[in-house]
Amino acid sequence: MYLYSPDEIDRERANHQAVIQGADDIDVKRIGNLGELAFEQFCREYLPVEMWEWQNEAAIRRCNPESFSGHDFEVFGYDVDVKTSRDVSAFRPSNLLENDPDDDIIAMVWHRDNEDALILLGWERTETLKSKVSTQEAYSGEGPEKLAHLAARPMNELHDLGPNTAHLNQKPENPFSPGDRVVKQGDGDASVAVVVEVLPPEKNTTAYGQEMDGEAVNVAFPNMLDNGPGNWREIHPAKLASYCDDQDIKLYTYKHTNLEYPENPFTPGDYVIKPDYDDPDLAVVLEVAEESDDDREITIAFCKHLEKELGEQHDVNPTDLSSRCEEAGIKSYSYTHDELRFEHQY
């Protein structure tokens, strides 16, 4: 058995994809998505990457509706469906067959009530399940009152279905996550970008028509995001890929080794606080000085002043914030970038 602990990005994507899918039961669909994420992690750890495929990878990564498919994965040429449940009786052979008789293999995932951990219990061939059910019906009569048979072969036996190959860890080496601020490595004039999605290693075959040697990261630039219909800074980073896809916001692909974290990550429109205050007020960045060696290169205004003068629902493009504040007589303040901290609003 294997334990999978979804992070915040996984949980947000699993839920938002269920909402976009229009599922009748959002909870059930979200948990099913988490089960698929758990099985994908197992495959990445233990199975040759060229011999398995996740049918819903792009849909969950970008929180888009899934195209219809009768199974979740193809592993060594077998159709695999992932069943996720809190009720372990769902993994009795007869129950598994009743719900999914057509796939080659069923993988079973149990989840905790609060969905912070899922356990991959095992897997079984559908043909074996049919045999177990028919045998029990023919010869066993009623099962023991306090003991029910659950179907499960150990997860690590799944690789026995494939050829005898070395199973290398194919976990991404990429250190970045959606929402991270990055710049092009070694470029002193590079603009700050936002990581939108991190592609799995096997998806990084080409960028700009050329083969990429490394793991790809798709980024968007804040000025392009600012031109979208919503305030992207109030969207959870897990949903940025969905937002950009829906709004046709252009993404740029970089090899992760060509990116680095910027010394000064702030851009106009960012929500910030001055963390050394006991009860800091929320502020928004108005300007970032072009010369990085300027003293107090970040100019901010406090949100309570913006709301007082421009209204609570003020909708000002970040590029116009500074001039609007000047016109409205809203006082601004300047700090060095290391005096401020992001205060995310999602």
Side-chain angles (χ1 to χ4, degrees):
M1 294 189 291
Y2 294 88
L3 174 68
Y4 165 73
S5 300
D7 60 19
E8 185 180 0
I9 295 291
D10 292 339
R11 291 195 294 269
E12 286 288 335
R13 281 181 172 165
N15 187 77
H16 194 57
Q17 193 281 329
V19 172
I20 297 298
Q21 185 81 26
D24 294 332
D25 192 324
I26 299 296
D27 292 343
V28 169
K29 180 58 179 167
R30 178 183 64 253
I31 292 164
N33 287 344
L34 288 173
E36 290 188 42
L37 284 162
F39 188 73
E40 186 260 354
Q41 288 296 298
F42 170 81
C43 291
R44 190 167 300 288
E45 292 274 12
Y46 295 102
L47 306 181
V49 71
E50 67 274 7
M51 294 184 179
W52 60 270
E53 182 179 1
W54 183 18
Q55 302 297 310
N56 301 321
E57 184 270 326
I60 290 181
R61 173 162 49 84
R62 293 195 164 187
C63 302
N64 288 334
E66 299 170 11
S67 57
F68 177 77
S69 177
H71 57 279
D72 301 318
F73 290 80
E74 291 182 10
V75 179
F76 300 127
Y78 296 96
D79 293 346
V80 179
D81 207 51
V82 180
K83 294 300 179 188
T84 309
S85 179
R86 180 71 175 85
D87 180 4
V88 291
S89 68
F91 305 135
R92 298 178 65 175
S94 57
N95 292 345
L96 289 170
L97 281 179
E98 181 180 351
N99 292 322
D100 193 357
D102 300 323
D103 293 313
D104 299 321
I105 290 172
I106 298 175
M108 288 152 271
V109 183
W110 177 87
H111 72 89
R112 284 165 49 97
D113 281 337
N114 57 5
E115 303 166 31
D116 64 338
L118 295 88
I119 295 177
L120 284 82
L121 297 176
W123 62 279
E124 192 59 271
R125 290 176 182 263
T126 306
E127 290 301 318
T128 302
L129 293 173
K130 291 177 181 177
S131 176
K132 288 181 176 180
V133 170
S134 61
T135 299
Q136 187 172 18
E137 289 176 348
Y139 303 107
S140 303
E142 294 184 4
E145 184 175 337
K146 294 186 178 180
L147 190 66
H149 178 81
L150 299 181
R153 294 184 63 178
M155 288 301 304
N156 59 1
E157 290 184 5
L158 191 61
H159 64 67
D160 293 339
L161 296 176
N164 185 16
T165 58
H167 306 306
L168 302 178
N169 186 335
Q170 299 151 116
K171 297 282 286 184
E173 299 177 358
N174 186 349
F176 303 111
S177 296
D180 285 350
R181 299 294 174 94
V182 293
V183 292
K184 188 175 180 181
Q185 195 174 65
D187 185 346
D189 295 325
S191 299
V192 172
V194 182
V195 174
V196 171
E197 57 185 352
V198 175
L199 300 183
E202 67 274 12
K203 301 293 183 183
N204 304 331
T205 53
T206 60
Y208 304 114
Q210 296 181 346
E211 188 169 342
M212 175 178 285
D213 180 20
E215 295 175 9
V217 177
N218 282 340
V219 307
F221 290 95
N223 61 327
M224 296 182 178
L225 289 165
D226 289 337
N227 291 328
N231 187 346
W232 62 274
R233 292 176 177 84
E234 297 178 1
I235 299 173
H236 193 284
K239 304 174 187 176
L240 280 177
S242 177
Y243 177 74
C244 291
D245 192 44
D246 291 344
Q247 305 302 328
D248 292 324
I249 294 173
K250 184 175 177 59
L251 302 181
Y252 295 84
T253 303
Y254 290 89
K255 188 164 63 172
H256 81 276
T257 52
N258 289 341
L259 296 173
E260 62 184 359
Y261 295 107
E263 181 181 358
N264 178 359
F266 300 109
T267 61
D270 288 340
Y271 295 105
V272 295
I273 60 170
K274 198 168 185 297
D276 57 350
Y277 291 166
D278 290 337
D279 186 19
D281 289 327
L282 184 66
V284 63
V285 174
L286 303 181
E287 292 181 317
V288 178
E290 294 183 5
E291 296 297 329
S292 60
D293 57 353
D294 283 356
D295 291 335
R296 298 191 172 189
E297 72 270 41
I298 308 295
T299 303
I300 67 160
F302 289 104
C303 290
K304 62 183 181 181
H305 297 158
L306 290 171
E307 292 168 2
K308 180 180 178 181
E309 298 298 331
L310 303 180
E312 290 188 7
Q313 303 299 322
H314 64 274
D315 183 18
V316 181
N317 191 292
T319 57
D320 300 326
L321 268 173
S322 182
S323 60
R324 286 292 303 274
C325 286
E326 188 175 348
E327 292 171 3
I330 299 172
K331 189 172 182 179
S332 63
Y333 303 83
S334 295
Y335 299 96
T336 59
H337 70 271
D338 54 7
E339 293 181 280
L340 301 174
R341 187 186 74 195
F342 284 109
E343 186 70 4
H344 300 294
Q345 298 302 297
Y346 48 80

